[in-house]
Amino acid sequence: MNKTVINNYNKVSLTLLYLPALLLLSIVFFLYRQDALSIESYVHIQKHCFFFLNSKLSQYPNIQYNLTQFGDALIFLSFLTIFIVYAPKIWEAIVPASLTSALLCSSFKALFTIPRPAAVFDNKTFVIIGKTLSGRNSLPSGHSITIFVVLTILLFAFMPKKLTYKIIWCSAIIIIGLILAFTRVGVGAHYPLDVIIGSILGYIAGVVGIFISQKYNLWTWIKHKNYYLVAILILIVCIIILINKILNENLVIFYLSLMSLITSLYIITRIYVKK
């Protein structure tokens, strides 16, 4: 499996960033044409779309709240911990991709300081699921970035060879990503453009992470069994944090994530002990 991932990642180049760059420029041009480059206008032009999507998506509050947790790196990455053993190249890409996404996310939030919906609109006029977020850090959606970082890394890791399968695979990943990302509108935490821009930035960070992992051998130590103890300790910490989350919020997704972590911990520990 790891060889397949390596071969697929070798085909990844920075030319894959042309399309997302074009999409970002298109959004800027759209905002310019709508005279919506100011904070007030940015919020105003999305008001009706936000209320419409929020009202429709929030009809399934439990589903929305569980799915939106995939934007939490701890939750989403817990399902990938098994790849530490079977496809460590994925994790060699995840590390730089995560660092890149953190830099992009913090920079954009600090630059634009867009107030979240709960800080602008009457909270009684739309649905808020979970914690009410009212800071000036709406753009971009950090959850959307995380979702598309992970999905982009998986997208290229298991890219099929046949064109037909490639189209199906890419379409499925994009659809799943958008469904997960738009839960941020469903729970009342972000505007639609926050989610779209966050998704694009997540893709960019994912491609950059893959490229860095191919260009520089900074995280190849991940595949060596001698360093499995580090993974074991990190997994134990993550399990403790997740148990605390379960005690505070009894969500199905947390139990699934916990099962994944425990399974990976067992497999990695067994291999480490036998080495």
Side-chain angles (χ1 to χ4, degrees), residues 43-88:
V43 173
H44 178 71
I45 66 166
Q46 298 183 78
K47 180 178 179 180
H48 296 299
C49 184
F50 167 76
F51 280 116
F52 174 77
L53 291 175
N54 176 259
S55 65
K56 296 299 181 182
L57 295 174
S58 61
Q59 294 178 22
Y60 311 97
N62 290 332
I63 294 176
Q64 290 294 301
Y65 198 43
N66 272 277
L67 291 181
T68 202
Q69 303 304 322
F70 277 99
D72 183 336
L74 172 63
I75 303 303
F76 208 163
L77 292 180
S78 67
F79 294 102
L80 274 62
T81 51
I82 194 64
F83 289 130
I84 294 175
V85 175
Y86 299 110

Side-chain angles (χ1 to χ4, degrees), residues 8-26:
N8 285 337
Y9 280 176
N10 283 331
K11 301 173 185 176
V12 174
S13 68
L14 293 182
T15 57
L16 291 168
L17 298 181
Y18 292 163
L19 178 58
L22 180 61
L23 290 175
L24 289 177
L25 287 175
S26 299

Side-chain angles (χ1 to χ4, degrees), residues 189-244:
H190 284 283
Y191 309 103
L193 280 179
D194 296 345
V195 169
I196 294 172
I197 293 172
S199 300
I200 295 172
L201 292 178
Y203 171 84
I204 290 173
V207 171
V208 170
I210 294 172
F211 180 78
I212 291 175
S213 71
Q214 291 298 98
K215 192 75 173 179
Y216 307 100
N217 297 320
L218 300 176
W219 294 277
T220 54
W221 55 268
I222 293 175
K223 64 183 178 183
H224 297 300
K225 296 178 183 179
N226 292 334
Y227 294 98
Y228 274 14
L229 180 59
V230 176
I232 291 171
L233 294 175
I234 293 175
L235 288 176
I236 291 173
V237 171
C238 290
I239 288 173
I240 293 173
I241 294 174
L242 200 48
I243 290 174
N244 185 61

Side-chain angles (χ1 to χ4, degrees), residues 19-33:
L19 178 58
L22 180 61
L23 290 175
L24 289 177
L25 287 175
S26 299
I27 292 174
V28 173
F29 182 70
F30 166 76
L31 292 174
Y32 172 76
R33 289 294 301 272

